Amino acid sequence: KIRVLERITRRDVIFFTTQLSTIISSGVNLVDGFADIERQGSKRVLKRITADVRRDIENGLPLSSALERHPEAFDELYVNIVRAGEATGKVGRALDDLTAQLEWQDDLAARIREATTYPLIIVGLLSVLLVVLVGFTIPQFTRLYQNINAKLELPLATRIVQIGATSIASNWYVIVAVIGLACVWYQFRIQTPEGAIGMARTTLRIPVLGDAVGKIALSRFAHYFGTLHEAGLEVVPTLALMERVI
């Protein structure tokens, strides 16, 4: 089993795929090639997986079947691209396509992180500020006004803010419970086909965000379809596979 701190990253899979592509393109024996990858690997979990794959190949398993036994590192899409390459005799080409696909995914993930980091920081800071204001600052000011002059007539907007903040501060556990129940309901909801489709449609209707999510999904579809087609997989099996991995 893979430990939490030793998880396989996309960069690890890119390194493995690049090395394997070089081995196959140069005509090196797979068993010897995997031994080289095992020696070059810097992460223990990658060394362990490489050694397992090497032993499976020594025992007569095809490359795709050996990789399939490690879904924590090689997903269904990866294995099927390799399997299609084996069927058409283009394993090297399939691995090159996989490397390009993984590099694109890594670049896309980096772009998404760059685009969302600043908004997430702002939302986080505003959330902390709101908690401090509602939970501590406003209730203290309310008590201060009452101690100074209980009959002091404050502006309507100020009174509304005070009442709202006091209510939230007094019933925070109810609010937390409601949010927790909503999260549980959401998790159960998206596990059903109808719920997942409904949530996806709702997300796509959100201004700006929905458009970005839709474009990312279409881009992934096009890249996956192109990679599988180049590997030699026919259209119907390709669509059946993409239905599971998209």
Side-chain angles (χ1 to χ4, degrees):
K1 297 294 182 180
I2 290 182
R3 300 175 186 175
V4 174
L5 297 179
E6 292 185 334
R7 68 185 183 87
I8 289 288
T9 65
R10 188 181 289 112
R11 296 307 310 178
D12 295 328
V13 179
I14 291 173
F15 165 79
F16 176 90
T17 307
T18 303
Q19 296 296 101
L20 182 57
S21 175
T22 302
I23 288 168
I24 291 178
S25 299
S26 60
V28 176
N29 179 273
L30 270 182
V31 174
D32 296 335
F34 274 108
D36 290 337
I37 297 176
E38 185 180 350
R39 284 193 296 269
Q40 295 175 21
S42 59
K43 188 176 288 187
R44 285 185 301 172
V45 63
L46 185 60
K47 286 176 173 287
R48 187 160 60 246
I49 290 175
T50 304
D52 289 344
V53 173
R54 175 176 55 80
R55 283 191 291 269
D56 288 337
I57 292 176
E58 284 179 323
N59 292 330
L61 278 182
L63 174 61
S64 58
S65 299
L67 297 175
E68 191 175 21
R69 300 182 65 179
H70 299 278
E72 70 280 7
F74 312 108
D75 59 19
E76 189 178 9
L77 182 69
Y78 190 106
V79 172
N80 277 275
I81 290 174
V82 174
R83 183 169 288 134
E86 289 174 334
T88 58
K90 301 177 181 178
V91 179
R93 174 65 182 275
L95 290 170
D96 289 339
D97 291 339
L98 266 173
T99 302
Q101 171 76 18
L102 292 167
E103 292 281 4
W104 172 79
Q105 290 180 9
D106 198 57
D107 180 65
L108 178 62
R111 289 173 180 269
I112 292 173
R113 283 194 300 270
E114 290 175 1
T116 57
T117 297
Y118 180 73
L120 288 176
I121 291 175
I122 296 299
V123 170
L125 292 175
L126 289 176
S127 300
V128 172
L129 177 62
L130 184 61
V131 169
V132 172
L133 288 174
V134 172
F136 303 98
T137 307
I138 296 177
Q140 287 182 357
F141 273 106
T142 301
R143 289 191 292 271
L144 178 63
Y145 289 143
Q146 290 176 347
N147 292 333
I148 294 175
N149 186 356
K151 297 181 179 180
L152 180 64
E153 187 70 20
L154 297 173
L156 177 61
T158 304
R159 295 201 302 273
I160 292 174
V161 171
Q162 285 183 343
I163 293 171
T166 303
S167 300
I168 293 173
S170 302
N171 301 285
W172 63 269
Y173 51 90
V174 177
I175 297 173
V176 171
V178 170
I179 294 175
L181 290 173
C183 292
V184 172
W185 173 84
Y186 175 79
Q187 290 298 323
F188 279 108
R189 177 68 174 165
I190 62 174
Q191 289 178 3
T192 63
E194 298 81 7
I197 292 173
M199 292 296 178
R201 285 175 174 165
T202 301
T203 301
L204 291 174
R205 293 191 186 102
I206 300 175
V208 182
L209 176 63
D211 185 55
V213 170
K215 288 179 179 178
I216 291 171
L218 288 173
S219 181
R220 284 175 174 162
F221 177 91
H223 274 79
Y224 291 164
F225 190 96
T227 303
L228 288 165
H229 181 69
E230 287 293 331
L233 207 62
E234 295 182 357
V235 173
V236 174
T238 296
L239 292 174
L241 174 61
M242 293 177 64
E243 184 181 359
R244 296 194 296 274
V245 301
I246 289 292

